[in-house]
Amino acid sequence: MKFTISSLLIATVAATTVNAEVWKITSLDKGTRDNTCSRQIQACQNNCGGPSLAPMAFCNSTTMAWGCGCLNNTPNMEVWNWPVPAADCSGSLNVCKNNCSAKNTSDCFINCTKTHMCNTEDAPVSYTSTDDVATAPKYVGPAVSYKGDKLGDLNDGNNRDNLSPSPSHSGSSDPKSDSDPAGSQKEATDDVNSATRFQLTGAAVLAAFAAGMAF
């Protein structure tokens, strides 16, 4: 069988397009994961007023599951600024740009910047927080911002086609979501609340311990 240069180029481009890089925060090297988790725990402890006041400060450097709960106050750091969610956003952004190289269009790179406004409320929600250190994160969820806005294609290799906002939280999808902006906005907000719910304080921390949650 003979192959022409043009056919080989077409095959190479097709393979590059199909085999897009896929982002997952656990793909970070061990050193980076350890450092990010260390900063995550320290940030929570500082925010709570010290290690003894942060009984639910945890981060699993293998799964990157994290959580923060204080005894006397609610953590006041914005979720998108915590080390793990911030690293998740920047990693997704880098993969988005890498995948744009195969498409070779300026619009693709521009879209990556628009959908990955890291360290702001317009950043894509990071599905890495969990209720305890042993539970693996969800990792991939609907593409919505912390502000509750639906985002476009994050282009990070993860398939979100079957992920409509918040059916997993409400028990069923809202049939009005596509035609009702208010319904769609509520669903997106539900996803944000679910992804950020593990910032606990006082009574919630004590109630969690009473319920036998192991952090």
Side-chain angles (χ1 to χ4, degrees), residues 17-177:
T17 302
V18 172
N19 299 320
E21 185 177 350
V22 179
W23 165 249
K24 190 174 181 182
I25 193 168
T26 53
S27 63
L28 293 172
D29 64 79
K30 185 179 184 303
T32 300
R33 295 198 312 272
D34 287 344
N35 178 267
T36 301
C37 264
S38 178
R39 291 188 294 110
Q40 175 63 51
I41 293 173
Q42 184 175 30
C44 178
Q45 292 175 339
N46 290 342
N47 203 271
C48 292
S52 64
L53 299 177
M56 291 186 180
F58 68 85
C59 184
N60 186 325
S61 61
T62 298
T63 66
M64 298 308 289
W66 71 278
C68 181
C70 305
L71 281 177
N72 298 329
N73 63 285
T74 301
N76 60 15
M77 181 180 289
E78 301 292 0
V79 180
W80 50 85
N81 283 328
W82 288 109
V84 173
D88 197 21
C89 181
S90 61
S92 178
L93 172 59
N94 289 336
V95 170
C96 182
K97 290 180 177 179
N98 290 344
N99 288 337
C100 283
S101 297
K103 299 178 181 179
N104 196 28
T105 64
S106 59
D107 288 344
C108 183
F109 289 95
I110 292 173
N111 187 64
C112 286
T113 302
K114 288 182 177 179
T115 57
H116 293 81
M117 299 183 70
C118 302
N119 296 103
T120 75
E121 63 179 349
D122 294 307
V125 168
S126 172
Y127 296 89
T128 49
S129 63
T130 64
D131 58 355
D132 65 80
V133 70
T135 300
K138 182 179 178 181
Y139 296 119
V140 180
V144 295
S145 71
Y146 289 100
K147 192 163 59 178
D149 294 335
K150 288 185 176 181
L151 302 174
D153 181 15
L154 299 184
N155 195 38
D156 62 1
N158 289 293
N159 185 359
R160 297 179 176 84
D161 292 342
N162 62 340
L163 298 176
S164 60
S166 65
S168 60
H169 311 313
S170 62
S172 61
S173 59
D174 185 350
K176 299 192 302 178
S177 62

